[in-house]
């Protein structure tokens, strides 16, 4: 509800994204930040765009980066490196760091903190236009600027998120009515 208050994005939609991205934080990746893919020979994380920032961020958080897991690269792109329940890549988290600090009163906010991840997801979805088109915003969350060039982004990922959000909304409405 706090993330909704700050961003206008309904909780069911935030939960649906987090469910799709990390099973609500249960699967935050299986690779180490510096792990090299044995097939592609590429590191899990983009070496110039993301690696310097994750080392800076973990240092400021007081976390040893080798203790954390990030997403592995998959067929959707040459790099992984997405962090925490919201599965932001480090360079995207960096774009939201100041706004998240203002909302969470944490300097720096942590992508591995569930509350911070909910705020980050809400901010990203708001910026992606979720207030007027949730399916397109979900596609942008998954595919970034390529969201409308790939049928899977909108019609598989985006559609699945919208369906899951409807299911979460039914549960939320049921709980509201039960407590009224």
């Amino acid at each position: 509800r706090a993330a909704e208050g700050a961003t206008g994005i309904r909780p069911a939609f935030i939960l649906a994204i987090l469910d799709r991205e990390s099973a609500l934080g249960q699967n935050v990746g299986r690779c180490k930040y510096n792990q090299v893919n044995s097939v592609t020979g590429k590191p899990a994380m983009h070496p110039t765009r993301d690696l310097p920032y994750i080392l800076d961020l973990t240092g400021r958080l007081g976390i040893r980066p080798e203790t954390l897991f990030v997403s592995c690269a998959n067929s959707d792109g040459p790099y992984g490196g997405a962090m925490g329940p919201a599965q932001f890549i480090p360079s995207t988290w960096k774009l939201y760091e100041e706004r998240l600090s203002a909302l969470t009163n944490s300097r720096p906010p942590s992508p591995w903190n569930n509350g911070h991840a909910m705020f980050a997801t809400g901010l990203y979805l708001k910026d992606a236009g979720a207030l007027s088109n949730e399916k397109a915003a979900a596609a942008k969350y998954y595919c970034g600027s390529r969201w409308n060039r790939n049928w899977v982004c909108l019609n598989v990922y985006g559609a699945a998120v919208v369906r899951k959000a409807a299911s979460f909304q039914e549960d939320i409405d049921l709980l509201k009515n039960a407590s009224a």
Side-chain angles (χ1 to χ4, degrees), residues 33-175:
Y33 78 98
N34 59 353
Q35 187 172 335
V36 175
N37 183 309
S38 60
V39 175
T40 66
K42 292 196 176 210
M45 199 164 281
H46 192 285
T48 58
R49 181 191 67 205
D50 294 321
L51 183 58
Y53 179 71
I54 196 170
L55 295 174
D56 172 64
L57 178 62
T58 55
R60 289 183 289 133
L61 288 168
I63 300 170
R64 291 185 10 243
E66 62 274 6
T67 65
L68 300 170
F69 287 96
V70 297
S71 68
C72 302
N74 61 33
S75 61
D76 292 333
Y79 297 102
M83 310 174 298
Q87 290 291 282
F88 274 47
I89 59 172
S91 54
T92 303
W93 189 265
K94 183 178 182 179
L95 294 173
Y96 285 88
E97 185 175 329
E98 284 304 312
R99 290 167 65 193
L100 288 167
S101 288
L103 290 174
T104 64
N105 293 317
S106 296
R107 298 202 182 276
S110 172
W112 297 280
N113 175 294
N114 290 336
H116 298 178
M118 288 182 188
F119 278 107
T121 300
L123 285 172
Y124 188 98
L125 292 170
K126 180 179 181 181
D127 290 351
L131 294 174
S132 61
N133 188 335
E134 288 185 343
K135 187 175 169 184
K140 291 173 187 176
Y141 195 98
Y142 185 63
C143 295
S145 62
R146 299 170 311 188
W147 73 274
N148 61 351
R149 291 185 224 146
N150 184 331
W151 187 85
V152 170
C153 300
L154 190 62
N155 296 303
V156 176
Y157 184 91
V161 167
V162 168
R163 282 192 306 274
K164 188 65 175 182
S167 175
F168 278 131
Q169 191 63 56
E170 287 177 11
D171 292 341
I172 290 167
D173 292 345
L174 181 69
L175 290 171

